[in-house]
Amino acid sequence: MMSEEVSSDRGGAITLNSDGTVTVPENPVIVSIQGDGIGPDIWRAAVKVFDAAVARAYDGQRQIQWREALAGEKAFAEIGQWLPEETLEMLRQCVVGIKGPLTTPVGGGIRSLNVTLRQVLDLYACVRPVRYYKGVPAPVRFPEQVDMVVFRENTEDVYAGIEWPAGSPEANRLTSYIKEHLNREIRPDSAIGIKPMSRVASQRLVRRAIRYALKQGYQSVTLVHKGNIMKYTEGAFRQWGYELAGEEFSAQTVTEAEVYEKFGGEPPHGRVVIKDRIADMMFQQALLRPAEYDVLAMPNLNGDYLSDALAAQVGGLGMAPGANIGDRVAVFEATHGTAPKYAGQDRVNPSSLILSGAMMFDYLGWREVGDLIRTALEATILAGVVTYDLARQMSGTNEVKCSEFAAAINEHMG
Ligand code: NAP
């Protein structure tokens, strides 16, 4: 593993600007974590696509300097640590990284390497774009109407891990305290979990979602919550979201209520509409009226459910890209696991990692590269060249290996 400072002779450092954007040199250093199980297979395939797309988009004038960092089984085998401090430091220094899936060590004292990465680097926004790629078998009639980007809060909610088993001294103490001091009754054999949601964490997530919608030209940001039932947590998320939009983006946004009250039902040109939907209704809307939704911002649990449901809707659960982004570091990642039974067989679908890379290029402002990759990947699938997972759901395909699929994408860039 390399640990030296990022230096210009080996490639330039990406730097952070005060407004949260990044400045990217011609030869930026990007951290790569190959991951466990199928991680090395999909990384080998994906990096060829990334390098080819950059070379093609900029005629060889730009190039990524990949810098490998260790995590997971490879790190444990080589240096006896699952997530070395050196890797975290490299991510902090280089600002942007991309990773394959990591095994969750069993009994290693670490709950999940992914959760640890998010916590330690404060990667508070889980971003999952969901759109349809032509040719992919999908379970709904009009999958092409889905083009949504989920911003899921990554650090709070029932995922904060503050919970105690039924009958434990902590649960019993809390139950007694709540009865004595707050006059609320909880059954004595109850397990207890805490759902903290703060203004600061909710608003930084919504801020990022609105900035993204403005930058990418999306028309609306929908706050998805369950505030009708959980008024002081989910309801507050909704309230804080609207407040932030009003305080920081009043010239660029308009609420859905204002669209009807002041603008006769037509949003003023160029303004992003801020609306909200109750989570269960949002699941219906996603199926019945997907074209009406663009960027969705939501607390952790809603985001977990909805992002997978949306990905399934376009048939792309195994191809869904994602990223975990904070104010200082962004890590793009395949959203599936390590699929250990396929490890080393050059067989699985590398699309999730490849599309996460496309998302990373958008983040760097190298939109041409992201577009080249997405277009070529779609053309490859449309030509019937697919890996086993898609081949088994389609007829008349040419089933290829992981590396062959990547090579076909590169051919389609031509
Ligand atoms: P998984 O690794 O995602 O695999 C489940 C199944 O999904 C595979 O058997 C395969 O289905 C399909 N699949 C996954 N990736 C695929 C790909 N690239 N191409 C084609 N098919 C693919 O889930 P898991 O078995 O529950 O988890 C295994 C390990 O991964 C665990 O240690 C878990 O903690 C870890 N994990 C890591 C991450 C992460 O790093 N972000 C995320 C989730 C899980 P078929 O068998 O039907 O072909």
Side-chain angles (χ1 to χ4, degrees):
M1 184 167 60
M2 309 180 73
S3 60
E4 68 267 43
E5 295 279 305
V6 176
S7 58
S8 52
D9 55 332
R10 306 203 49 157
I14 296 171
T15 47
L16 272 173
N17 305 319
S18 55
D19 63 355
T21 57
V22 285
T23 298
V24 183
E26 304 277 283
N27 299 314
V29 176
I30 291 182
V31 175
S32 67
I33 297 172
Q34 297 194 4
D36 300 323
I38 56 172
D41 287 347
I42 57 174
W43 172 253
R44 273 191 295 273
V47 74
K48 291 201 175 103
V49 174
F50 301 153
D51 287 342
V54 171
R56 183 158 188 92
Y58 305 120
D59 257 345
Q61 297 301 303
R62 293 181 179 177
Q63 194 182 20
I64 302 292
Q65 308 295 313
W66 301 106
R67 188 158 297 182
E68 187 185 353
L70 295 183
E73 286 164 354
K74 198 170 174 186
F76 193 71
E78 286 189 23
I79 53 175
Q81 290 171 36
W82 289 98
L83 190 55
E85 179 53 36
E86 219 177 337
T87 292
L88 296 170
E89 195 43 44
M90 222 194 276
L91 283 165
R92 287 188 196 104
Q93 255 186 44
C94 296
V95 180
V96 175
I98 182 163
K99 65 175 273 293
L102 294 171
T103 304
T104 300
V106 179
I110 294 181
R111 235 171 25 147
S112 147
L113 297 179
N114 294 301
V115 172
T116 310
L117 255 181
R118 285 170 210 164
Q119 284 172 350
V120 176
L121 298 174
D122 198 20
L123 307 175
Y124 61 80
C126 175
V127 185
R128 298 267 296 265
V130 188
R131 54 154 281 197
Y132 181 62
Y133 287 90
K134 283 186 213 139
V136 174
V140 298
R141 276 168 56 219
F142 304 110
E144 66 285 353
Q145 290 182 2
V146 177
D147 181 3
M148 297 185 215
V149 186
V150 174
F151 279 71
R152 164 188 169 193
E153 205 288 322
N154 237 350
T155 65
E156 297 196 324
D157 198 352
V158 282
Y159 282 62
I162 310 173
E163 55 176 11
W164 294 276
S168 63
E170 294 88 351
N172 291 343
R173 271 172 69 190
L174 272 170
T175 307
S176 312
Y177 181 89
I178 288 167
K179 185 170 183 186
E180 244 173 69
H181 296 278
L182 306 174
N183 201 24
R184 303 299 289 263
E185 195 76 44
I186 295 176
R187 287 194 190 95
D189 59 348
S190 297
I192 307 257
I194 306 258
K195 178 181 172 79
M197 284 175 52
S198 67
R199 177 191 285 269
V200 71
S202 302
Q203 289 195 329
R204 66 182 181 174
L205 187 270
V206 175
R207 181 182 296 114
R208 190 166 274 282
I210 295 176
R211 278 191 184 151
Y212 179 88
L214 288 167
K215 190 165 173 208
Q216 303 293 333
Y218 281 107
Q219 289 171 359
S220 67
V221 172
T222 305
L223 308 167
V224 182
H225 61 90
K226 193 67 190 158
N228 53 332
I229 305 296
M230 292 169 272
K231 296 183 192 306
Y232 304 122
T233 49
E234 303 255 337
F237 178 87
R238 168 188 178 278
Q239 182 63 26
W240 291 327
Y242 277 119
E243 282 172 14
L244 175 108
E247 284 159 16
E248 298 185 16
F249 300 96
S250 62
Q252 299 121 301
T253 62
V254 61
T255 65
E256 190 176 37
E258 285 169 339
V259 169
Y260 289 99
E261 284 159 14
K262 296 189 191 161
F263 300 100
E266 270 303 307
H269 181 71
R271 295 238 215 141
V272 168
V273 179
I274 310 294
K275 48 191 178 183
D276 76 280
R277 295 290 181 270
I278 291 173
D280 40 319
M281 224 277 275
M282 188 61 226
F283 277 86
Q284 292 180 39
Q285 295 277 298
L287 278 168
L288 300 174
R289 295 157 72 169
E292 292 175 21
Y293 296 91
D294 297 322
V295 174
L296 310 173
M298 64 197 80
N300 212 332
L301 181 63
N302 299 339
D304 195 1
Y305 294 157
L306 195 56
S307 52
D308 271 16
L310 285 172
Q313 201 167 316
V314 293
L317 201 52
M319 330 191 350
N324 292 296
I325 303 181
D327 287 335
R328 306 199 62 78
V329 181
V331 179
F332 295 79
E333 67 170 2
T335 53
H336 55 72
T338 59
K341 67 181 177 187
Y342 295 116
Q345 294 178 23
D346 190 21
R347 183 148 187 240
V348 294
N349 189 345
S351 297
S352 175
L353 188 61
I354 290 173
L355 292 171
S356 301
M359 219 180 138
M360 179 186 78
F361 288 114
D362 294 345
Y363 181 83
L364 299 180
W366 294 13
R367 181 89 205 185
E368 304 82 355
V369 182
D371 286 344
L372 251 180
I373 293 172
R374 283 181 287 261
T375 307
L377 185 138
E378 185 167 63
T380 306
I381 295 173
L382 264 180
V385 179
V386 289
T387 45
Y388 83 93
D389 52 315
L390 292 184
R392 69 187 169 189
Q393 303 174 64
M394 299 160 72
S395 53
T397 57
N398 171 15
E399 183 182 325
V400 293
K401 292 178 176 178
C402 177
S403 55
E404 291 167 343
F405 181 70
I409 294 177
N410 288 355
E411 277 166 30
H412 277 97
M413 277 180 211

